[in-house]
Amino acid sequence: AANIILDAGHTPFLPHLTGLWHLVCPRPYEDWLALDMAWLRVCDALVRLPGESNGADREEAEARRLGLPIYHGMNTFVVVDKE
């Protein structure tokens, strides 16, 4: 999804990449989520991918609070080539 967003000319932030950082320097989950929320304050929109995720639910709630546009699924944000 991030590659598609990048290829469409946007600058994606991938909150799940903190999982790699966590492997090197473990921190409590709430620390990582606080970092995600800080980044969300400088984002222009949120793209919510399908699937259950407590963290994504909280990010979506914060995006709503901030008044950000929320796109549910990639096809609502960019045209995805299905070739």
Side-chain angles (χ1 to χ4, degrees):
N3 279 332
I4 292 167
I5 291 171
L6 184 65
D7 289 345
H10 303 283
T11 307
F13 170 70
L14 289 75
H16 60 275
L17 287 181
T18 56
L20 297 174
W21 188 355
H22 183 78
L23 292 174
V24 178
C25 297
R27 301 184 67 88
Y29 174 76
E30 290 300 322
D31 286 2
W32 298 121
L33 196 57
L35 181 63
D36 296 348
M37 297 303 177
W39 276 109
L40 192 55
R41 288 192 292 273
V42 297
C43 289
D44 296 318
L46 174 77
V47 178
R48 173 66 191 264
L49 300 178
E52 292 185 27
S53 169
N54 181 46
D57 290 345
R58 291 169 63 182
E59 290 162 355
E60 185 173 345
E62 180 65 4
R64 285 188 197 293
R65 189 188 73 73
L66 294 169
L68 295 176
I70 300 169
Y71 299 89
H72 289 92
M74 288 297 297
N75 284 325
T76 65
F77 185 66
V78 296
V79 175
V80 179
D81 187 6
K82 301 217 182 212
E83 288 185 61

mmCIF file of all heavy atoms in Angstrom, residues 7-9 20 23 28 35 39-40 50 56 61 64-65 68 76 81 83:
data_model
loop_
_atom_site.group_PDB
_atom_site.id
_atom_site.type_symbol
_atom_site.label_atom_id
_atom_site.label_comp_id
_atom_site.label_asym_id
_atom_site.label_seq_id
_atom_site.Cartn_x
_atom_site.Cartn_y
_atom_site.Cartn_z
ATOM 1 N N ASP A 7 4.244 5.908 -5.172
ATOM 2 C CA ASP A 7 4.273 5.983 -6.632
ATOM 3 C C ASP A 7 3.249 6.974 -7.177
ATOM 4 O O ASP A 7 3.424 7.514 -8.270
ATOM 5 C CB ASP A 7 4.044 4.599 -7.253
ATOM 6 C CG ASP A 7 5.226 3.660 -7.056
ATOM 7 O OD1 ASP A 7 6.322 4.135 -6.693
ATOM 8 O OD2 ASP A 7 5.030 2.441 -7.251
ATOM 9 N N ALA A 8 2.186 7.223 -6.398
ATOM 10 C CA ALA A 8 1.162 8.184 -6.817
ATOM 11 C C ALA A 8 1.577 9.619 -6.495
ATOM 12 O O ALA A 8 0.825 10.554 -6.766
ATOM 13 C CB ALA A 8 -0.167 7.845 -6.146
ATOM 14 N N GLY A 9 2.769 9.777 -5.916
ATOM 15 C CA GLY A 9 3.287 11.122 -5.673
ATOM 16 C C GLY A 9 3.083 11.660 -4.272
ATOM 17 O O GLY A 9 3.328 12.831 -4.012
ATOM 18 N N LEU A 20 9.914 -2.578 13.532
ATOM 19 C CA LEU A 20 11.339 -2.853 13.297
ATOM 20 C C LEU A 20 12.206 -2.111 14.310
ATOM 21 O O LEU A 20 13.181 -2.647 14.822
ATOM 22 C CB LEU A 20 11.717 -2.456 11.868
ATOM 23 C CG LEU A 20 11.011 -3.226 10.761
ATOM 24 C CD1 LEU A 20 11.365 -2.643 9.405
ATOM 25 C CD2 LEU A 20 11.354 -4.701 10.819
ATOM 26 N N LEU A 23 12.308 -3.842 17.549
ATOM 27 C CA LEU A 23 13.220 -4.994 17.628
ATOM 28 C C LEU A 23 14.601 -4.583 18.133
ATOM 29 O O LEU A 23 15.278 -5.352 18.819
ATOM 30 C CB LEU A 23 13.356 -5.663 16.260
ATOM 31 C CG LEU A 23 12.122 -6.380 15.733
ATOM 32 C CD1 LEU A 23 12.373 -6.855 14.308
ATOM 33 C CD2 LEU A 23 11.723 -7.530 16.631
ATOM 34 N N PRO A 28 7.400 0.405 25.340
ATOM 35 C CA PRO A 28 5.993 0.020 25.533
ATOM 36 C C PRO A 28 5.140 0.391 24.316
ATOM 37 O O PRO A 28 5.402 1.402 23.643
ATOM 38 C CB PRO A 28 5.567 0.837 26.763
ATOM 39 C CG PRO A 28 6.841 1.146 27.481
ATOM 40 C CD PRO A 28 7.882 1.292 26.402
ATOM 41 N N LEU A 35 3.792 8.112 19.357
ATOM 42 C CA LEU A 35 4.578 8.592 18.217
ATOM 43 C C LEU A 35 3.711 8.654 16.964
ATOM 44 O O LEU A 35 3.747 9.636 16.208
ATOM 45 C CB LEU A 35 5.792 7.679 17.998
ATOM 46 C CG LEU A 35 6.732 8.041 16.857
ATOM 47 C CD1 LEU A 35 7.392 9.401 17.105
ATOM 48 C CD2 LEU A 35 7.787 6.963 16.685
ATOM 49 N N TRP A 39 2.769 12.050 14.671
ATOM 50 C CA TRP A 39 2.911 12.151 13.214
ATOM 51 C C TRP A 39 1.575 12.454 12.549
ATOM 52 O O TRP A 39 1.508 13.203 11.576
ATOM 53 C CB TRP A 39 3.507 10.871 12.633
ATOM 54 C CG TRP A 39 4.991 10.856 12.702
ATOM 55 C CD1 TRP A 39 5.781 10.092 13.521
ATOM 56 C CD2 TRP A 39 5.894 11.663 11.940
ATOM 57 N NE1 TRP A 39 7.101 10.378 13.309
ATOM 58 C CE2 TRP A 39 7.202 11.337 12.341
ATOM 59 C CE3 TRP A 39 5.716 12.624 10.961
ATOM 60 C CZ2 TRP A 39 8.326 11.938 11.796
ATOM 61 C CZ3 TRP A 39 6.837 13.235 10.411
ATOM 62 C CH2 TRP A 39 8.120 12.882 10.839
ATOM 63 N N LEU A 40 0.513 11.881 13.070
ATOM 64 C CA LEU A 40 -0.806 12.087 12.481
ATOM 65 C C LEU A 40 -1.179 13.572 12.475
ATOM 66 O O LEU A 40 -1.835 14.058 11.557
ATOM 67 C CB LEU A 40 -1.845 11.271 13.250
ATOM 68 C CG LEU A 40 -3.223 11.124 12.647
ATOM 69 C CD1 LEU A 40 -3.157 10.559 11.238
ATOM 70 C CD2 LEU A 40 -4.083 10.247 13.523
ATOM 71 N N PRO A 50 -8.054 -2.287 5.317
ATOM 72 C CA PRO A 50 -8.974 -3.241 5.927
ATOM 73 C C PRO A 50 -8.280 -4.106 6.980
ATOM 74 O O PRO A 50 -7.068 -4.307 6.929
ATOM 75 C CB PRO A 50 -9.450 -4.111 4.760
ATOM 76 C CG PRO A 50 -8.942 -3.493 3.517
ATOM 77 C CD PRO A 50 -7.881 -2.516 3.882
ATOM 78 N N ALA A 56 -5.005 1.028 14.790
ATOM 79 C CA ALA A 56 -5.593 1.740 13.645
ATOM 80 C C ALA A 56 -6.939 2.352 14.022
ATOM 81 O O ALA A 56 -7.271 3.453 13.568
ATOM 82 C CB ALA A 56 -5.738 0.803 12.454
ATOM 83 N N ALA A 61 -9.777 7.381 15.059
ATOM 84 C CA ALA A 61 -10.507 8.271 15.970
ATOM 85 C C ALA A 61 -9.781 9.612 16.116
ATOM 86 O O ALA A 61 -10.415 10.679 16.118
ATOM 87 C CB ALA A 61 -10.678 7.602 17.333
ATOM 88 N N ARG A 64 -10.246 11.682 12.984
ATOM 89 C CA ARG A 64 -11.575 12.314 13.003
ATOM 90 C C ARG A 64 -11.558 13.548 13.896
ATOM 91 O O ARG A 64 -12.086 14.599 13.533
ATOM 92 C CB ARG A 64 -12.628 11.336 13.498
ATOM 93 C CG ARG A 64 -13.025 10.300 12.509
ATOM 94 C CD ARG A 64 -14.216 9.468 12.979
ATOM 95 N NE ARG A 64 -14.341 8.255 12.218
ATOM 96 C CZ ARG A 64 -14.659 8.181 10.934
ATOM 97 N NH1 ARG A 64 -14.874 9.277 10.257
ATOM 98 N NH2 ARG A 64 -14.742 7.022 10.316
ATOM 99 N N ARG A 65 -10.940 13.420 15.075
ATOM 100 C CA ARG A 65 -10.865 14.532 16.013
ATOM 101 C C ARG A 65 -10.123 15.713 15.387
ATOM 102 O O ARG A 65 -10.497 16.874 15.583
ATOM 103 C CB ARG A 65 -10.171 14.098 17.299
ATOM 104 C CG ARG A 65 -10.242 15.126 18.422
ATOM 105 C CD ARG A 65 -9.395 14.747 19.614
ATOM 106 N NE ARG A 65 -7.971 14.900 19.361
ATOM 107 C CZ ARG A 65 -7.330 16.082 19.282
ATOM 108 N NH1 ARG A 65 -7.987 17.202 19.431
ATOM 109 N NH2 ARG A 65 -6.030 16.121 19.060
ATOM 110 N N LEU A 68 -9.220 15.359 9.801
ATOM 111 C CA LEU A 68 -8.530 14.887 8.600
ATOM 112 C C LEU A 68 -9.462 14.050 7.732
ATOM 113 O O LEU A 68 -10.298 13.316 8.254
ATOM 114 C CB LEU A 68 -7.322 14.021 8.980
ATOM 115 C CG LEU A 68 -6.186 14.709 9.713
ATOM 116 C CD1 LEU A 68 -5.123 13.685 10.093
ATOM 117 C CD2 LEU A 68 -5.583 15.803 8.857
ATOM 118 N N THR A 76 -10.073 4.100 -2.498
ATOM 119 C CA THR A 76 -10.736 5.367 -2.203
ATOM 120 C C THR A 76 -9.733 6.513 -2.178
ATOM 121 O O THR A 76 -10.124 7.676 -2.212
ATOM 122 C CB THR A 76 -11.482 5.313 -0.857
ATOM 123 O OG1 THR A 76 -10.547 5.146 0.205
ATOM 124 C CG2 THR A 76 -12.506 4.198 -0.845
ATOM 125 N N ASP A 81 -3.943 0.039 -9.921
ATOM 126 C CA ASP A 81 -3.873 -0.737 -11.162
ATOM 127 C C ASP A 81 -3.930 -2.215 -10.814
ATOM 128 O O ASP A 81 -3.095 -2.701 -10.067
ATOM 129 C CB ASP A 81 -2.577 -0.398 -11.898
ATOM 130 C CG ASP A 81 -2.485 -1.030 -13.266
ATOM 131 O OD1 ASP A 81 -3.479 -1.656 -13.705
ATOM 132 O OD2 ASP A 81 -1.433 -0.898 -13.899
ATOM 133 N N GLU A 83 -3.421 -4.798 -12.772
ATOM 134 C CA GLU A 83 -2.709 -5.672 -13.723
ATOM 135 C C GLU A 83 -1.869 -6.679 -13.018
ATOM 136 O O GLU A 83 -1.248 -6.505 -12.054
ATOM 137 C CB GLU A 83 -1.844 -4.828 -14.657
ATOM 138 C CG GLU A 83 -2.693 -4.059 -15.643
ATOM 139 C CD GLU A 83 -1.815 -3.329 -16.635
ATOM 140 O OE1 GLU A 83 -1.065 -3.997 -17.365
ATOM 141 O OE2 GLU A 83 -1.886 -2.090 -16.663
#
